[in-house]
Amino acid sequence: GNVSFSCLEPQVVPVTFLSSSSYLALPGPSGQDVFVSFQFRTWNKEGLLLSSKLHQSSGGFLLYLSDGRVKINLHKMGRVLSDFAAGAGLNNGQWHSVSLSVRRNRISVRVDNDVNSFAHASIPLQIYSGDIFYFGGCPSSGNTSVCNTSFGGFQGCMRFISIGNKTVDMISVQQNGFGNFSDLQIDLCGITDRCLPNYCEHGGECSQSWNSFHCNCANTGYKGATCHSSIFEQSCEAYKHRGNTSGFYNIDSDGSGPLGPFLVYCNMTDATWTIIQHNSTNLTRVKSANRENPHAVFFKYSASLDQLQATIKHADHCEQELAYYCKKSRLLDKSDGMPLSWWIGRTNETHTYWGGSLPAVQKCACGLEGSCIDSQHYCNCDADRDEWANDTGFLSYKDHLPVTEIVITDTDRPNSEAAYKLGPLLCRGDRTFWNSASFNTETSYLHFPTFHGELSADVSFFFKTTASSGVFLENLGIQDFIRIELHSPSEVIFSFDVGNGPSEVIVQSRNSLNDNQWHYVKAERNVKEASLQVDQLPQKSHSAPPDGHIRLQLNSQLFVGGTASRQKGFLGCIRSLQLNGMALDLEERAKITPGVEPGCPGHCSSYGNLCHNGGKCREKYSGFSCDCTFSAYAGPFCKKGKHISAYFWTGTSMTYNFQEYYTLATNSSSHASSFYADMTLTRETITFAFRTTRTPSLLLYVSSFYKEYLSVILTRNGDLQIRYKLDSHQDPDVFSISFKSMADGQLQHVKINREEEMLFLEVNQNERMKFILSSGTEFNAIKSLTLGKIL
């Protein structure tokens, strides 16, 4: 007869527990040992896997997930008999097997058939199976669950369920052959991998639960629900106008774009300089190089070339000093016109112009100025002299910077030698930070190409206005749209639609926003949420609906300062408009648009408070500056103490008069102190520094109209001596400090602090000394201050 062979694969019927109220009830071998096994997969850290009451007792057991581990809890009469765990990280969306065995007084759990994920315990009584096993959850009885657990039901999938070594036929369960269930999906694992695709940006780590995913942005340099927004500013200019001083900062040149942050030094002077270092800043000498065996050096910067390009593009000006020192080492072979040395820039192009010169001109700075040591050549080094010369200057053509390589080939002749030194890349300012436009009519607007931010979009800008409302920005699609507007003097609205119906995020301010001062707005929308930030007010956000539409599909032009319908246009200024980290050039577009003007004056109304200590804010076309002329402080914000110094020759001194004598004389009928009440001192602090080798010397002398005085002198042996005479009828108090000669030519720092009769003295930041005055406590009618006189 005919013989046939076949291998039947066991039918796999998975079950999906769709919600925390789902459960599967199956009959158990009542009164017998317990042996249950199954496989599960889930993204949730918590959830009930299996529960049952014990045979003829008031106890039961729970098998559940806790923090991604399988735990077993055996209890009776409210008392926990056993509680232990096995496995780890079981909520990773993969299939995991679990087997539970309870035989009389011994209980064990094994996960993934792994000996390292095996746990067991002995208990002081014999246990037998109840008549029903509940998988994934329990039916509710009124408002309470039969299981009465503190954690929720299981959400995920199960398969290969076996009770007493007998596989459960889930098709029969589905056909109501036996068992009971609620809110299950049988014959399908409906679990969703919400981290595939991964919507976490910039290296954010994705994790998920049944309903949603979460992005861990730690150590990425980004923040937000999808790690979209940079935590760093885009430039040193932006840090400066937050009030920061010079120092090292991370900048993110393209904001939320693909380029990461990198470390630079920000030099906050009147202009803001960004300094980017490379790996070879020392002077390097070169010998024995020729065309067959050239000397080539590569420069590696603290940023990638893409990051450097973005920084250079934003800057007003960039430069890099290149110094070439030579002795019988030429830059150009005049006989054949071929370069003997050259440098390579960012775009990998070879350049033969040198510091201080211009592109496409094979000359050095002296060649342009006509000042080369040999007028027949255009570089000092091409004179080929047997003595050291140099061609040094700044390269400043932005498209060629920074220097990435230098090649030298003419140092193999007798006495031939060269040396080079390349400075850091220096970039000044940020063109995008002050790029602005003024909208003068409600029907005027600027238009740009369609904004593409399908899955994540952020928009940021500054505005100032006196109008009560107006649309900042709008972009439309067939149904989708995005809009940011000033809805009222104190309310900004970010509205959009991605196919789930219009949604709004609203920020309300206690203070009016139409005060003609700059205000900052940042709106972000991604697949998880939408958020809106205005100035330093608390950020508002709305969560996206689960499993809704996620793509923002726009097709119209982007309108700035108005709408396509020319309704509700914006009157005022918009500055530094950025979309997904890319700046829009408002000024260039405004030049060709009626009703809109490039630029926007009046920065001091918003930033004038950054000028401290009497500094005056001065308007500039792009920004402002602090005038510290009449302040005792210097620096970009008049916060840095000025070091004012003077040199005194023998017999010279400087006197500053606090009051003119005639004021006292013309009022001689009255007591002088009534006219100089504001000049009566009961306390003073004096700090100064000096350097001298001459003694004796008068360092400081303060006099009064009442023959009272304070003097600080160096005695003949170099001791510091302080004399206070605050009572014209008594001898002065004299205090000498003689621990070393202070006329040693070194800079000496002195601080004198008097509080009535208490006198404190610090010299060179050593321990403070204390003295007591006996000649009075009031210094009346201050007349003059004299500095520096060699006695």
Side-chain angles (χ1 to χ4, degrees):
N2 294 326
V3 179
S4 62
F5 297 91
S6 64
C7 295
L8 295 176
E9 291 288 335
Q11 187 178 12
V12 179
V13 183
V15 180
T16 304
F17 295 78
L18 298 172
S19 69
S20 58
S21 60
S22 302
Y23 72 90
L24 170 64
L26 296 174
S30 180
Q32 301 180 24
D33 292 338
V34 177
F35 186 79
V36 179
S37 65
F38 57 90
Q39 291 184 1
F40 73 91
R41 62 183 296 213
T42 185
W43 295 109
N44 289 3
K45 291 183 177 181
E46 322 286 337
L48 179 64
L49 295 171
L50 173 65
S51 66
S52 178
K53 291 186 176 181
L54 300 177
H55 181 65
Q56 293 182 348
S57 79
S58 58
F61 70 84
L62 302 172
L63 187 71
Y64 60 99
L65 276 177
S66 176
D67 197 26
R69 307 188 72 197
V70 169
K71 288 193 173 184
I72 180 73
N73 176 283
L74 188 64
H75 56 275
K76 186 175 182 181
M77 300 289 292
R79 186 165 62 95
V80 176
L81 302 178
S82 183
D83 190 1
F84 56 90
L90 302 177
N91 60 319
N92 60 359
Q94 303 297 313
W95 286 108
H96 297 280
S97 64
V98 178
S99 59
L100 170 68
S101 174
V102 183
R103 295 182 177 178
R104 294 178 176 83
N105 62 347
R106 183 178 174 82
I107 184 169
S108 63
V109 174
R110 185 186 296 270
V111 176
D112 291 336
N113 294 316
D114 185 355
V115 294
N116 296 318
S117 298
F118 176 78
H120 62 90
S122 298
I123 46 181
L125 54 88
Q126 293 190 348
I127 295 175
Y128 297 98
S129 170
D131 54 2
I132 300 178
F133 289 144
Y134 291 102
F135 290 85
C138 294
S140 297
S141 177
N143 294 326
T144 61
S145 169
V146 173
C147 303
N148 193 26
T149 61
S150 60
F151 42 86
F154 173 75
Q155 286 181 291
C157 301
M158 290 188 185
R159 66 182 184 185
F160 298 138
I161 299 175
S162 174
I163 301 175
N165 290 319
K166 183 177 180 182
T167 302
V168 175
D169 184 355
M170 291 305 304
I171 299 299
S172 295
V173 174
Q174 185 181 30
Q175 296 171 351
N176 297 318
F178 70 99
N180 190 15
F181 62 89
S182 173
D183 202 15
L184 293 187
Q185 192 173 29
I186 298 178
D187 205 15
L188 176 70
C189 181
I191 193 171
T192 302
D193 190 342
R194 300 186 183 277
C195 289
L196 191 66
N198 183 1
Y199 294 117
C200 300
E201 302 178 50
H202 300 110
E205 187 176 313
C206 183
S207 60
Q208 75 167 78
S209 63
W210 179 263
N211 293 317
S212 65
F213 70 92
H214 170 73
C215 296
N216 182 359
C217 307
N219 302 317
T220 65
Y222 295 84
K223 62 182 179 179
T226 59
C227 311
H228 177 73
S229 297
S230 180
I231 63 176
F232 303 112
E233 297 289 350
Q234 288 187 248
S235 66
C236 290
E237 188 82 18
Y239 277 114
K240 176 180 175 180
H241 289 89
R242 283 174 43 180
N244 295 79
T245 56
S246 297
F248 285 97
Y249 296 91
N250 281 294
I251 64 171
D252 197 330
S253 299
D254 68 340
S256 58
L259 303 178
F262 59 98
L263 189 66
V264 302
Y265 185 83
C266 296
N267 189 10
M268 313 292 196
T269 58
D270 289 339
T272 306
W273 287 93
T274 302
I275 302 174
I276 305 173
Q277 295 286 354
H278 57 77
N279 62 337
S280 183
T281 56
N282 295 325
L283 182 70
T284 304
R285 302 173 81 102
V286 180
K287 291 183 178 181
S288 305
N290 53 45
R291 285 177 172 170
E292 290 72 31
N293 184 31
H295 173 88
V297 59
F298 298 88
F299 299 95
K300 185 176 181 180
Y301 291 81
S302 58
S304 69
L305 290 181
D306 288 337
Q307 291 169 325
L308 292 172
Q309 181 178 1
T311 302
I312 292 169
K313 180 181 177 182
H314 289 172
D316 291 318
H317 168 83
C318 290
E319 62 186 31
Q320 192 167 19
E321 186 176 34
L322 177 56
Y324 187 83
Y325 300 89
C326 52
K327 185 171 71 169
K328 291 191 69 63
S329 174
R330 298 159 295 168
L331 296 171
L332 176 69
D333 187 345
K334 200 168 184 181
S335 63
D336 58 11
M338 296 296 293
L340 293 167
S341 294
W342 59 89
W343 59 273
I344 296 174
R346 184 181 72 241
T347 56
N348 209 31
E349 294 179 343
T350 297
H351 303 290
T352 55
Y353 70 97
W354 293 84
S357 186
L358 301 173
V361 179
Q362 198 166 336
K363 296 181 179 180
C364 300
C366 71
L368 291 180
E369 299 166 358
S371 60
C372 295
I373 57 177
D374 187 337
S375 59
Q376 299 182 37
H377 299 280
Y378 296 122
C379 291
N380 289 321
C381 290
D382 290 345
D384 202 25
R385 296 187 176 183
D386 194 8
E387 58 187 29
W388 283 101
N390 76 87
D391 287 295
T392 300
F394 283 92
L395 304 169
S396 58
Y397 189 65
K398 286 177 26 173
D399 289 352
H400 294 168
L401 295 177
V403 177
T404 60
E405 182 182 356
I406 292 177
V407 180
I408 297 172
T409 68
D410 187 27
T411 60
D412 66 340
R413 294 176 294 154
N415 296 325
S416 179
E417 188 176 358
Y420 61 85
K421 184 176 182 180
L422 180 68
L425 176 66
L426 310 174
C427 288
R428 183 185 69 227
D430 181 356
R431 295 187 301 115
T432 64
F433 189 77
W434 296 109
N435 189 285
S436 60
S438 302
F439 298 85
N440 301 323
T441 68
E442 289 188 352
T443 58
S444 61
Y445 59 81
L446 298 177
H447 59 86
F448 294 89
T450 306
F451 177 37
H452 294 289
E454 286 80 1
L455 297 175
S456 56
D458 73 272
V459 180
S460 64
F461 57 90
F462 294 87
F463 78 90
K464 69 173 184 173
T465 185
T466 57
S468 59
S469 64
V471 174
F472 299 122
L473 176 147
E474 180 184 83
N475 206 160
L476 306 176
I478 297 175
Q479 177 183 344
D480 296 1
F481 73 89
I482 184 172
R483 182 184 301 115
I484 307 173
E485 63 182 304
L486 181 67
H487 187 68
S488 72
S490 59
E491 186 176 80
V492 176
I493 297 180
F494 171 37
S495 55
F496 61 92
D497 188 352
V498 295
N500 303 314
S503 182
E504 289 184 344
V505 185
I506 302 172
V507 170
Q508 291 183 322
S509 171
R510 292 183 178 180
N511 303 316
S512 294
L513 300 172
N514 62 339
D515 55 0
N516 204 31
Q517 296 199 28
W518 287 115
H519 297 282
Y520 179 69
V521 175
K522 181 168 185 178
E524 181 183 343
R525 180 261 151 196
N526 53 59
V527 298
K528 279 187 69 71
E529 67 178 23
S531 62
L532 179 63
Q533 177 90 49
V534 177
D535 292 333
Q536 301 301 317
L537 297 172
Q539 178 179 284
K540 299 290 186 180
S541 60
H542 286 178
S543 297
D547 301 317
H549 295 283
I550 60 173
R551 291 188 178 273
L552 176 66
Q553 298 178 339
L554 307 173
N555 54 28
S556 77
Q557 290 182 317
L558 169 68
F559 294 90
V560 176
T563 65
S565 62
R566 295 181 178 266
Q567 301 292 317
K568 301 168 64 176
F570 173 70
L571 284 172
C573 295
I574 294 178
R575 175 169 69 83
S576 190
L577 176 59
Q578 309 255 353
L579 280 74
N580 275 350
M582 300 297 292
L584 296 188
D585 194 342
L586 301 176
E587 294 187 358
E588 200 62 33
R589 188 59 60 95
K591 292 176 182 177
I592 57 173
T593 305
V596 186
E597 295 182 1
C600 185
H603 301 298
C604 283
S605 61
S606 299
Y607 294 108
N609 62 339
L610 292 178
C611 299
H612 296 273
N613 300 307
K616 301 298 182 183
C617 184
R618 306 296 185 199
E619 292 287 348
K620 296 166 60 179
Y621 177 78
S622 294
F624 72 99
S625 64
C626 294
D627 182 355
C628 307
T629 304
F630 299 104
S631 170
Y633 293 80
F637 302 122
C638 308
K639 294 174 70 175
K640 184 178 180 181
K642 290 180 180 176
H643 297 286
I644 302 173
S645 60
Y647 182 82
F648 297 91
W649 298 93
T650 302
T652 60
S653 64
M654 180 179 71
T655 299
Y656 177 81
N657 292 315
F658 293 99
Q659 297 285 351
E660 295 296 336
Y661 179 73
Y662 74 87
T663 310
L664 180 63
T666 55
N667 294 283
S668 57
S669 60
S670 301
H671 197 274
S673 62
S674 64
F675 295 96
Y676 298 103
D678 59 327
M679 297 302 291
T680 296
L681 303 178
T682 60
R683 59 191 64 207
E684 62 267 351
T685 299
I686 302 170
T687 60
F688 63 93
F690 71 92
R691 186 200 327 259
T692 187
T693 57
R694 304 290 297 275
T695 60
S697 300
L698 174 69
L699 300 175
L700 178 146
Y701 180 78
V702 182
S703 66
S704 85
F705 287 104
Y706 291 136
K707 299 183 180 180
E708 299 170 358
Y709 68 85
L710 156 66
S711 67
V712 182
I713 65 174
L714 277 182
T715 64
R716 190 172 299 278
N717 60 0
D719 293 346
L720 186 70
Q721 190 178 91
I722 299 174
R723 299 185 179 188
Y724 260 102
K725 183 181 175 103
L726 299 184
D727 187 334
S728 59
H729 303 294
Q730 291 189 29
D731 292 334
D733 292 303
V734 180
F735 308 102
S736 294
I737 296 91
S738 57
F739 56 87
K740 72 163 193 169
S741 173
M742 300 188 70
D744 58 1
Q746 301 298 312
L747 191 64
Q748 315 286 350
H749 295 268
V750 178
K751 181 176 181 180
I752 301 169
N753 182 34
R754 181 180 71 90
E755 298 178 5
E756 296 184 335
E757 74 280 2
M758 306 295 295
L759 180 66
F760 301 94
L761 175 67
E762 281 184 45
V763 178
N764 294 329
Q765 298 180 339
N766 290 319
E767 185 176 353
R768 189 165 70 161
M769 292 169 278
K770 178 180 174 182
F771 305 96
I772 305 295
L773 298 179
S774 61
S775 64
T777 61
E778 291 187 350
F779 204 167
N780 296 295
I782 301 298
K783 178 183 178 183
S784 64
L785 165 67
T786 298
L787 295 175
K789 188 173 184 180
I790 299 175
L791 302 175

